[in-house]
Every structure is written in C-alpha cells, then in structure tokens.
Amino acid sequence: ISEKSLSLKHMYALALINFLTYIHIKSEYKKLLSTKDLEPLNKANLQALEKMKTEKNSSLIESQEVNNEENIGSSITDTIIKKSSFVERRSTIEMKNTFLERNKPVAGSTSVQVKDGNDHDEIRGEKISWMAAEPSLIQLRGQDYLKTKRKNPSATSLYELVEMDIFHSDEHLTDVGCRFQLPPNDFKDLEHCWRAPDILIISFSLPTSAPKLGRVTTDKKGLIVCGYYQIRKEVRKTLEIVSNARLNDVEKEEALNLLFKDQDSRLLVKGVLLWEKWCATSANDPDMQKRLKFIPRGENLQELKVPSWICRYNGKPLLIKRPGETSFIFSHPDERMMEIDINLHTFPYMFKQAMTYLNDHYFVRMLMTFGFVIEGRSEEELPEVLLGNPMSIRVDPAKLKNIFTILNARDLS
C-alpha cells in the first residue's frame, strides 16, 4: 500500500469521525430545544460546549497542519467546523426562545384586577378578581420586637404586585413563571451587581382535598396561586448604594440619608439588606431558606360565620421549614427573575381539612389575603418588611381553569 493511499485513508477516517461527532452534537441540541422548560444557554454552558467541540476536532486540525496538500480533507473539515459552531447556532436558539416566548400564555390571563375590595362583587365572567392590598393589612415584627414581642402593621413592601394568576391543578407544579409571558420589566436595561431580582414570582399550592384521618395521601389536587412582582424604585436605589464597591461606609450613609428623608422610612434599609442576604445564601443555606414565612388571612370570616377552630389561626404566620419539600427556589439571572414556590400539600391533616372545608363552603364568598416575609431575628434585621403587596383575592372554584389546559392551549390573552 502506497504512502499516499495511507494518507487518504487517514484523512477520510478523521473526516468520518468528525462528521459523526457533528451528528451527535446536533442530536443533543435537538433534545435541548425540544424540552418544555427551555432555558437560554448561559456562559458556562457555551464554554463547556465549545470545549467539547474543540477537543473533538483537535486531531483533525493537527492533521490539517501536517498535510497541507490535502485540500479536499481541509475543505471537509472547514465545512464541518462551520456547521458545528455553537457560536453560529446561538442565533437559532435565540429565535427558538423568541418563538416559544410569544406562544406562552400571558401572565395574568386568568384574573382581573380591581381597585377596591368592594369591587370583587362586581366582577362577572370567567376570571378571578384580585387586588394589590395595602401592606398595613399584615402584622409583622416591629423594630423592638425582641424586647416587647409586639407586632405592627407593615409600613411598606419591597416589591409591587403587578399581575396574578390562579389555577386548578391535579399536580403540584414548580417554576411556574417561566411558562408564561411575564409583565414588562421597567429595569431590564439597567445594570446591577446584587443578587435580589427585579422580577419576583411567588407561587403557592393550596390543597382542596383532605386525606382520611390517620392516612397519608400523595394527592396533589388543589389550587395554584401565582403572584408576579416588580421591585420598587426605592428598593433598587438602596441596593445600588449598599452594593457600590466604590463608596466607603461614610459615603453610603450620606447617600442613604439623601434617599430617605426621615428615620422611619430609613428602616426599609434593614429589610432590603435581609432580603439581599436571603437571595444570596438561601439556595445553599437551608437554615436561611427556612426563614421564609407565609401569612394567610381571611378578611370576612366573622361575617361568613366561619367555625372558630379555623378562625383562631387566621393571620398566623407559617414558617416554610422544609426546603425541597415545602419550598423551592428557582433563579433565572439572565431575566433578573427569581421564583419562590411553596407547597402546602405536605402540611398536617388539620390544615388540609381546613382548606378543604373553606373551599367547599366559603371560598366563593370569602376575601382572602396572602403575605410573605423573611423572618427577622436580630436588631439589625428588624423591623420586618413584606416581600410584596399582600395579594387579595376572591376565588370562585367554578371559574378556575386547569393550568395544564392553559399551557397546552397557549391561546389565553
């Protein structure tokens, strides 16, 4: 066998290996694009894929440098490398993301906002009514709580409730927000160097079927309530100041004094710092994640004559203490979004029994308010500040749509 023949066989073998590599990578990309929960490739993903491409093609590139006269092999190599370039294919993925985003249901499609609690009775049709309630409805730990154990009406919130959805579901669903077209982000084009998101999504699942006494159930049937929040301007400005590495402590204090005109409003800073700490550490620190509190309230329980065994728990905070079971965190830094999911299906029998009873007899006439807060445990973390406006809703179970029907139809607008 001649030397030239060996060289040609070597070239074709390498070309075949490279072509098979391209087919494999293309197949993996198709799997990625076909997933329900498509996420944009981040920098780490791109670097890993580029490294894989480089390693797979390194032998062929070296062969090109030794065998410059083999123009045919060089041509094949150039074509394959160009086709398998993930830098080139990013535009295709971005187009796919844009297409999927436009075909997602619109956040807030299942509900209609009202301006006053009395307006809930005026809503007709197939949508649930909701209102961004005043933060003062919720009682939180005050600045001197450690000494007096006194709670005060919340003065403000870190985020503003801008949209809300409520669904029926036979399954507990997490990372709900990424499945919908989110409201516009007023701060999308502004730089930031902190961990707190511009868009906060909080969803929680309420059970509407109780197990028989003494039995465990895996039934996930119930309601999913999802609130979409946008960061307040003064909170974002506070984060800009406290995260600015170019400012010393004195300069930060001066900037904060200019931002907040009185000492009472300045107390917001403590809530902002605690929230930033929670966002930065809770994913890897279960003890920090366990400080999330869920506060449910019924605003007209006495009027409806709800049983006293339920009323005694009205407005009592619930610590969500089992990460990965009752609480889930999903971070989407590219969208400056974070989602907190709360699963109440695993709560004790009495809680499920109460929710089922309220759903069957009172929800259609009951005005419900839900608040969320990170528990403050030291003077530096008090007073507590609500994460967002309390969401006030009136639920008619007959109007609820199944979330999977909505996601599959993709035609709500």
Side-chain angles (χ1 to χ4, degrees), residues 89-321:
R89 288 180 60 81
R90 284 189 70 183
S91 59
T92 305
I93 295 172
E94 289 167 359
M95 289 174 63
K96 182 75 172 177
N97 286 339
T98 302
F99 174 78
L100 292 176
E101 184 67 29
R102 288 176 179 173
N103 283 270
K104 291 179 181 179
V106 177
S109 299
T110 64
S111 65
V112 58
Q113 183 179 8
V114 297
K115 299 300 183 182
D116 186 270
N118 297 323
D119 294 339
H120 287 286
D121 295 327
E122 305 300 322
I123 299 302
R124 300 290 184 268
E126 298 300 316
K127 295 190 176 184
I128 303 298
S129 59
W130 69 274
M131 180 181 71
E134 289 297 321
S136 57
L137 274 178
I138 306 294
Q139 298 281 325
L140 299 179
R141 294 182 176 187
Q143 188 176 9
D144 58 351
Y145 177 82
L146 298 179
K147 296 178 181 178
T148 65
K149 301 302 178 183
R150 184 185 303 140
K151 292 188 176 183
N152 303 317
S154 179
T156 185
S157 64
L158 303 178
Y159 290 76
E160 180 183 3
L161 180 64
V162 293
E163 288 291 354
M164 204 210 76
D165 275 309
I166 181 166
F167 321 95
H168 167 76
S169 179
D170 295 323
E171 297 289 337
H172 174 233
L173 190 64
T174 58
D175 209 6
V176 178
C178 70
R179 306 165 195 267
F180 289 83
Q181 293 184 48
L182 299 180
N185 180 2
D186 294 343
F187 308 105
K188 184 176 181 180
D189 298 324
L190 300 180
E191 294 183 1
H192 74 136
C193 57
W194 52 86
R195 299 297 294 274
D198 288 340
I199 297 294
L200 175 64
I201 299 173
I202 303 179
S203 76
F204 59 94
S205 56
L206 286 174
T208 56
S209 61
K212 293 182 179 179
L213 186 61
R215 295 185 182 180
V216 178
T217 180
T218 56
D219 182 23
K220 298 295 192 294
K221 182 179 179 180
L223 312 180
I224 295 178
V225 182
C226 191
Y228 309 91
Y229 299 84
Q230 182 169 264
I231 195 168
R232 294 187 183 276
K233 292 181 180 179
E234 60 270 28
V235 174
R236 205 175 196 282
K237 186 63 178 176
T238 301
L239 288 166
E240 288 178 2
I241 295 171
V242 299
S243 304
N244 193 336
R246 295 190 297 270
L247 298 179
N248 58 39
D249 291 344
V250 174
E251 291 171 328
K252 289 179 181 179
E253 284 295 315
E254 291 175 350
L256 289 172
N257 288 333
L258 290 174
L259 179 62
F260 299 101
K261 302 304 181 183
D262 56 74
Q263 200 60 32
D264 288 341
S265 61
R266 172 71 183 269
L267 293 174
L268 174 69
V269 177
K270 291 184 177 182
V272 173
L273 293 175
L274 177 58
W275 172 237
E276 172 66 8
K277 180 181 178 181
W278 194 89
C279 291
T281 63
S282 60
N284 300 311
D285 184 352
D287 289 334
M288 178 58 75
Q289 190 171 339
K290 292 175 185 178
R291 293 169 68 171
L292 173 66
K293 291 195 292 190
F294 170 62
I295 308 173
R297 282 172 50 95
E299 303 303 331
N300 55 344
L301 299 190
Q302 291 186 351
E303 176 188 332
L304 298 178
K305 298 182 180 179
V306 174
S308 59
W309 65 275
I310 294 178
C311 291
R312 72 167 61 104
Y313 297 105
N314 190 38
K316 299 288 185 181
L318 303 175
L319 269 173
I320 309 302
K321 298 188 292 186

Side-chain angles (χ1 to χ4, degrees), residues 26-42:
K26 184 176 180 181
S27 173
E28 292 301 313
Y29 248 96
K30 285 184 176 180
K31 290 178 183 178
L32 176 66
L33 293 174
S34 65
T35 57
K36 264 188 178 181
D37 301 322
L38 183 66
E39 296 183 358
L41 290 176
N42 58 30

